[in-house]
Amino acid sequence: DIVMTQTPLSSPVTLGQPASISCRSSQSLVHSDGNTYLSWLQQRPGQPPRLLIYKISNRFSGVPDRFSGSGAGTDFTLKISRVEAEDVGVYYCMQATQFPWTFGQGTKVEIK
Amino acid sequence: QITLKESGPTLVKPTQTLTLTCTFSGFSLSTSGVGVGWIRQPPGKALEWLALIYWDDDKRYSPSLKSRLTITKDTSKNQVVLTMTNMDPVDTATYYCAHSHWTLFDYWGQGTLVTVSS
């Protein structure tokens, strides 16, 4: 299985300030078709996960442009340009390049 | 719009078999590239991918749970069923179903909490 490792596990952020979450995979996520199937999901308290970003950097429908994804190979980053109160929650990276699909441990974003 | 809803027992006893149903709307499970997956989350813990069934009946399972899981679909009823045998207290979790388009989960159900206890 591909292991997904996120850092940090907790990220206290001041409102309006940026936040960054790193996700590293135990092997390259480049698929044989040339695509990299790395997604980011947000889980607000008491809510199901919500897709934010797919294929490294593509924002899903309705996702604010303050969220951005980058990276390649085994190293990926989710950035929030200016954290808002509604961004509080746990963020997960997920790989779908190889079965079984696997998730990171989650990074909790909270307001200082 | 796409919606999914999980249903099933909230409490099961150890060794029993869990049967969960995902009832969906807004898409067809006979459309190329479409799938429905199951993911679980123990209280306070991370997400764990369990199984996925595609429009062409291709089925994928978590290797660590494969011997206990079965996923099926009923396209006419817009339902996907997951069964998990030999339930244990460590299987206590919120179980989610989600719509998949090829290689992502873009729509999720609200989840259903299943507690395993005697």
Side-chain angles (χ1 to χ4, degrees), chain A residues 37 41 43 47-49 51 54 60 92 94 96 99-101 103-105, chain B residues 41 45-47 49 52 54 60 63 96 100 102-103 105 107-110:
Chain A
Y37 297 111
L41 301 104
Q43 188 173 31
Q47 295 295 311
L51 178 65
Y54 62 96
F60 187 59
Y92 295 93
M94 187 199 86
F99 285 107
W101 295 2
F103 295 90
Q105 325 95 296
Chain B
Q41 184 174 39
K45 295 189 177 180
L47 301 165
W49 182 87
L52 178 60
Y54 281 111
R60 305 284 179 154
Y96 296 100
S100 172
W102 293 111
T103 53
F105 287 130
Y107 298 93
W108 293 64
Q110 287 296 310

Side-chain angles (χ1 to χ4, degrees), chain A residues 43-65:
Chain A
Q43 188 173 31
R44 291 170 171 153
Q47 295 295 311
R50 165 198 178 200
L51 178 65
L52 293 178
I53 303 280
Y54 62 96
K55 286 201 291 185
I56 303 177
S57 60
N58 295 274
R59 272 189 302 276
F60 187 59
S61 174
V63 174
D65 60 8

Side-chain angles (χ1 to χ4, degrees), chain B:
Chain B
Q1 83 274 23
I2 290 176
T3 64
L4 305 98
K5 186 172 183 178
E6 307 86 353
S7 59
T10 57
L11 179 66
V12 297
K13 290 180 166 48
T15 75
Q16 286 187 336
T17 294
L18 171 69
T19 299
L20 294 173
T21 301
C22 177
T23 302
F24 57 84
S25 63
F27 67 95
S28 171
L29 200 36
S30 58
T31 300
S32 179
V34 173
V36 172
W38 286 93
I39 307 94
R40 71 178 179 179
Q41 184 174 39
K45 295 189 177 180
L47 301 165
E48 179 184 15
W49 182 87
L50 299 178
L52 178 60
I53 188 166
Y54 281 111
W55 84 100
D56 58 358
D57 211 38
D58 182 19
K59 301 170 186 177
R60 305 284 179 154
Y61 295 100
S62 167
S64 63
L65 293 168
K66 186 174 183 177
S67 64
R68 300 172 53 204
L69 294 175
T70 303
I71 190 169
T72 59
K73 63 181 176 68
D74 186 330
T75 305
S76 64
K77 290 184 178 179
N78 282 355
Q79 290 182 333
V80 170
V81 174
L82 181 76
T83 60
M84 181 180 291
T85 61
N86 195 24
M87 293 292 285
D88 183 271
V90 299
D91 296 314
T92 293
T94 296
Y95 287 75
Y96 296 100
C97 63
H99 171 273
S100 172
H101 185 240
W102 293 111
T103 53
L104 52 80
F105 287 130
D106 49 4
Y107 298 93
W108 293 64
Q110 287 296 310
T112 185
L113 175 61
V114 178
T115 301
V116 184
S117 175
S118 55

Side-chain angles (χ1 to χ4, degrees), chain A residues 4-13 15 17-24 38-53 59 63-64 66-69 76-95 102-111, chain B residues 41 44-47 108:
Chain A
M4 307 297 288
T5 303
Q6 291 182 228
T7 54
L9 297 183
S10 178
S11 179
V13 186
L15 285 172
Q17 293 300 302
S20 180
I21 301 169
S22 174
C23 175
R24 178 166 290 178
L38 185 283
S39 299
W40 289 96
L41 301 104
Q42 175 197 59
Q43 188 173 31
R44 291 170 171 153
Q47 295 295 311
R50 165 198 178 200
L51 178 65
L52 293 178
I53 303 280
R59 272 189 302 276
V63 174
R66 65 179 181 274
F67 291 94
S68 64
F76 306 93
T77 302
L78 175 71
K79 291 183 179 176
I80 310 174
S81 59
R82 294 172 305 280
V83 171
E84 298 189 3
E86 66 179 17
D87 300 335
V88 165
V90 180
Y91 292 77
Y92 295 93
C93 58
M94 187 199 86
Q95 69 81 21
T102 47
F103 295 90
Q105 325 95 296
T107 295
K108 187 173 185 178
V109 171
E110 52 194 358
I111 304 301
Chain B
Q41 184 174 39
K45 295 189 177 180
L47 301 165
W108 293 64

